[in-house]
Amino acid sequence: MASAPVEKVKEFWNSQVNDEEKWAVNSKVLRAFGLFAGSVFLMRNFGDLMAI
């Protein structure tokens, strides 16, 4: 009974990763999110060192 939602998640994952156009958009979104999260982490930890 619990395998139906797992199969839907697998189908969704495969449709997003295996399609070239969708993967191109998703990789840009992931890269932008990673850059944003990294900059937030950097500023929260080392922001006082960057102040003048």
Side-chain angles (χ1 to χ4, degrees):
M1 186 173 237
S3 66
V6 173
E7 290 299 322
K8 288 187 178 187
V9 170
K10 285 182 183 179
E11 288 176 15
F12 177 73
W13 176 263
N14 289 331
S15 71
Q16 295 297 314
V17 172
N18 293 333
D19 187 8
E20 292 289 327
E21 293 177 5
K22 287 182 182 178
W23 178 246
V25 173
N26 290 337
S27 66
K28 289 178 185 177
V29 170
L30 286 171
R31 188 176 301 134
F33 177 75
L35 183 63
F36 176 75
S39 63
V40 167
F41 174 78
L42 189 79
M43 290 303 291
R44 289 201 35 109
N45 288 316
F46 305 108
D48 55 338
L49 298 175
M50 295 180 201
I52 295 177

